[in-house]
Every structure is written in C-alpha cells, then in structure tokens.
C-alpha cells in the first residue's frame, strides 16, 4: 500500500510540474517578452498587459502550492484499518499474550450487543414516529367523522345522542350523560357507563343551579375540572358522591336559554382531561349549539309551511 502511495505521488507531481510549467511559461513570456515572436505566432496567449501577466503568475503560484499541499496530505495520511483487520489484530494479540478464547468471545459478544442496542434504539424511534403519525391520523379521521355525523342529525334528540357518543369517544370518557331542561330542573335523558343505569328519581332530577349540572345550566358556561379538590371557582358540595376528580360539563344553549347539559367523566387514558381533549369537547359543544339552533329553525319553518298548506 505504501508503494502505491509513492507511485501515485510521483506521477501526480510530474503531471503538476508539466502542467504548471506550461502555465508559468505563458506568464513569463507575457511579462518579459511581450513583443517576442512566440506571442506573435500564438496571439491567443497574449495578455496585452504586463500587469495582467504579473497577477496571472501570482495566481498560478498559489494554485501550485495548494495542489502540492493537498497531494502531500493525501499521501502522508495514515490509513484507517477496517473492521476485519482490527479483529485479526485482536486475535493475533490474543494468541501472543495467551488470552483465552472465552475472553475473545466475550469481547465479540459485547461488541455485537452494543451494535444491537444502537439498532434497537433507531428502530424504536422509527416505531414511535410511525405510532405518533398513526395516532394523528386516527384523531383527524375521528374528528372528520364526528363533524359529518353531528351535522347530519335529523332531530334534537338524535343530535344530543351523537354529541354524547362522539364526546365520550374522542375524549376517552368512560361515563357520559344527557340532561334535558324541564322548567326549573334537569331530567336525565340518557346515560353511558353509569353503574346503575336505572338509578333513583331523586338523583336523576337535578334542580337548576344545584350540583354540577345545575350550576352549568344556570351559568351557561363550559366547565372543565381535572381535580375538584383543587378547584377554586366552585365548592362542589356533593363531592362525596363523585367517583372521579376530573370531568367536563357543557350546556347546549338556544336563544340565550339552556336546553340541555352534557356531562363527561372518568378519562380512561390519563385519568384527567388533556388540553387537546378539552378543546375537542369545546368544538363539539359549539357545533352542537349551532346544529340545535339550525334544527329548531327548520322545525319552525316546517310548521309554518304546514300551516300555510292547510290554509290553501
């Protein structure tokens, strides 16, 4: 290998001497023999200026020094041994020093395990990125399905049921309920995940401005609580009855009045509601309000058309 480097060096050096010798010759002729026979014969190589010839020689000299330096670096650079040579050297050294084959095997196993762990880390990173993308795709798909399903509701009760279904699904809520306003109280219309689906009438009827649902119905505001024991805006007098510390409750408002209240609790994924899950429920709340108003207006329009048809 060393002989090859030397041969390469001398061949390249000879080539550079010939090349730059010719370039130096052109510059010197232009600098000192501007009116000579050579330039008259080869007018293409005439610079027509001694100053240009001087700078030309300076630039050629710089390039010559750089090229020679690069060649020296390449030929004197020590060769990096490959993996097989390292292994062979280890085996030779082991034989000379009377190292047992077990030690060599351990060294090989350690090297293999290090490479395996590094590849495993890279694989896990790729898997995590793929899993994250799949989760995002699932969220986008679910969100799109939710919007289409809710906007296709044909009745008010169907709208509320779809809002409860998609709200519990996209927020990972185990329990959910729909409470419909009846004058000055809330009556439970439908539940999901409750231990006692029948319940008792007292619990299934909530006065306005009492308990959580009644408070939300009175205030007409979205309520999200991840720990009622540390919540400052409300005392929660019935907290002994709660089975979870985190819940989300929002009203369905029509023309400034609360028409229904939807409640979600017991997040099965985290035990609390993340910012993303809360925002999804906010979107469902706003979408439900808009659709409730649309369905009421359509209902009034249908009544008006029916009355007009009877008159004729």
């Amino acid at each position: 290998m060393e002989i090859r480097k030397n041969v390469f060096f001398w061949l390249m050096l000879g080539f550079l001497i010939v090349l730059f010798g010719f370039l130096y010759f052109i510059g010197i002729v232009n600098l000192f023999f501007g009116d000579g026979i050579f330039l008259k014969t080869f007018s293409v190589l005439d610079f027509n200026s001694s100053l240009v010839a001087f700078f030309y020689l300076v630039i050629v000299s710089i390039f010559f020094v750089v090229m020679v330096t690069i060649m020296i670096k390449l030929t004197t650079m020590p060769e990096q041994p490959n993996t097989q040579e390292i292994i062979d050297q280890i085996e030779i050294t082991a034989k000379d020093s009377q190292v047992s084959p077990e030690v060599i095997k351990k060294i090989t196993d350690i090297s293999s395990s290090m490479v395996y762990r590094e590849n495993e880390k890279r694989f896990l990173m790729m898997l995590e990125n793929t899993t994250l993308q799949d989760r995002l795709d699932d969220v986008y798909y679910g969100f799109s399905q939710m919007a289409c399903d809710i906007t296709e509701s044909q009745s008010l009760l169907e709208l509320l049921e779809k809002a409860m279904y998609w709200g519990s699904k996209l927020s990972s809520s185990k329990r959910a309920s729909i409470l419909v306003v009846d004058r000055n109280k809330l009556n439970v219309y439908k539940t999901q995940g409750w231990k006692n689906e029948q319940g008792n009438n007292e619990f299934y009827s909530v006065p306005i401005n009492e308990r959580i649902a009644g408070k939300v119905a009175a205030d007409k505001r979205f309520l999200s609580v991840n720990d009622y024991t540390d919540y400052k805006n409300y005392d929660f007098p019935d907290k002994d009855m709660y089975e979870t510390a985190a819940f989300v409750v929002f009203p369905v408002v029509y023309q400034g009045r609360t028409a229904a209240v939807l409640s979600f609790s017991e997040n099965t994924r985290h035990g609390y509601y993340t910012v993303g899950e809360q925002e999804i429920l906010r979107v469902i709340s706003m979408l439900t309000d808009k659709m409730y108003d649309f369905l009421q207006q359509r209902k009034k329009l249908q009544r008006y058309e029916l009355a007009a048809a009877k008159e004729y």
Side-chain angles (χ1 to χ4, degrees):
M1 187 61 68
E2 190 67 28
I3 296 175
R4 290 182 182 178
K5 283 188 177 181
N6 292 333
V7 172
F8 172 77
F9 175 77
W10 289 113
L11 287 177
M12 288 299 299
L13 183 60
F15 173 76
L16 290 177
I17 291 174
V18 173
L19 175 63
F20 282 92
F22 176 71
L23 296 176
Y24 272 114
F25 172 76
I26 296 174
I28 292 172
V29 168
N30 275 276
L31 183 62
F32 298 105
F33 308 100
D35 298 330
I37 299 175
F38 180 80
L39 293 179
K40 290 182 180 179
T41 305
F42 300 97
S43 59
V44 179
L45 303 176
D46 190 0
F47 294 162
N48 296 320
S49 173
S50 298
L51 184 61
V52 174
F54 174 76
F55 282 108
Y56 169 80
L57 289 172
V58 172
I59 294 172
V60 170
S61 300
I62 293 173
F63 272 99
F64 180 72
V65 173
V66 171
M67 293 299 296
V68 172
T69 304
I70 292 174
M71 285 181 54
I72 294 174
K73 288 289 185 182
L74 290 175
T75 54
T76 58
M77 183 181 298
E79 183 181 1
Q80 297 295 332
N82 56 33
T83 305
Q84 187 60 43
E85 290 178 353
I86 294 174
I87 295 174
D88 295 340
Q89 186 65 33
I90 291 174
E91 291 179 351
I92 293 171
T93 305
K95 290 178 181 179
D96 295 340
S97 59
Q98 300 300 321
V99 179
S100 64
E102 289 78 9
V103 175
I104 297 176
K105 185 176 183 302
K106 287 182 180 180
I107 295 174
T108 306
D109 292 341
I110 291 172
S111 302
S112 301
S113 63
M114 291 175 64
V115 173
Y116 174 78
R117 284 198 296 268
E118 185 64 26
N119 292 334
E120 186 181 24
K121 288 181 181 178
R122 294 179 181 177
F123 175 74
L124 289 176
M125 289 178 63
M126 293 175 58
L127 186 62
E128 287 177 359
N129 293 335
T130 304
T131 304
L132 178 60
Q133 186 61 44
D134 291 341
R135 289 178 182 174
L136 290 175
D137 291 341
D138 290 340
V139 170
Y140 293 146
Y141 178 76
F143 200 83
S144 175
Q145 289 291 101
M146 175 271 296
C148 292
D149 194 25
I150 289 180
T151 53
E152 290 175 356
S153 301
Q154 298 298 316
S155 67
L156 299 177
L157 294 179
E158 181 185 1
L159 170 65
L160 295 178
E161 290 179 4
K162 287 183 176 181
M164 183 184 72
Y165 168 77
W166 285 108
S168 60
K169 182 177 181 180
L170 297 181
S171 66
S172 303
S173 299
K174 180 179 179 181
R175 295 201 302 270
S177 62
I178 303 173
L179 296 92
V180 180
V181 174
D182 181 16
R183 296 182 181 179
N184 60 345
K185 62 181 179 179
L186 291 167
N187 293 327
V188 173
Y189 165 70
K190 192 171 185 178
T191 64
Q192 173 183 306
W194 284 19
K195 291 182 178 179
N196 185 1
E197 293 293 344
Q198 299 299 324
N200 54 60
N201 294 331
E202 181 182 357
F203 184 76
Y204 272 51
S205 181
V206 181
I208 299 294
N209 208 23
E210 293 185 14
R211 298 182 181 175
I212 298 174
K215 186 71 175 177
V216 170
D219 295 343
K220 305 179 185 66
R221 290 191 302 177
F222 186 96
L223 176 64
S224 176
V225 179
N226 272 331
D227 186 0
Y228 68 81
T229 60
D230 194 35
Y231 195 75
K232 307 297 183 183
N233 297 334
Y234 187 58
D235 187 27
F236 301 111
D238 302 315
K239 55 188 177 184
D240 294 337
M241 300 172 57
Y242 302 163
E243 298 182 17
T244 178
F247 46 83
V248 176
V249 187
F250 63 81
V252 178
V253 181
Y254 171 66
Q255 293 184 349
R257 295 182 178 180
T258 301
V261 173
L262 277 79
S263 173
F264 303 90
S265 60
E266 196 168 341
N267 184 285
T268 57
R269 180 176 296 177
H270 311 286
Y272 62 91
Y273 289 93
T274 63
V275 175
E277 290 167 342
Q278 294 179 38
E279 291 306 312
I280 288 176
L281 290 175
R282 286 184 188 274
V283 171
I284 293 177
S285 172
M286 291 185 289
L287 185 60
T288 305
D289 283 347
K290 296 297 182 183
M291 279 302 301
Y292 197 94
D293 181 75
F294 170 76
L295 292 174
Q296 287 284 33
Q297 297 298 330
R298 188 179 68 176
K299 190 175 181 180
K300 289 182 179 180
L301 181 60
Q302 290 174 346
R303 290 176 180 175
Y304 174 79
E305 291 177 349
L306 182 60
K310 288 181 178 180
E311 291 181 359
Y312 289 100

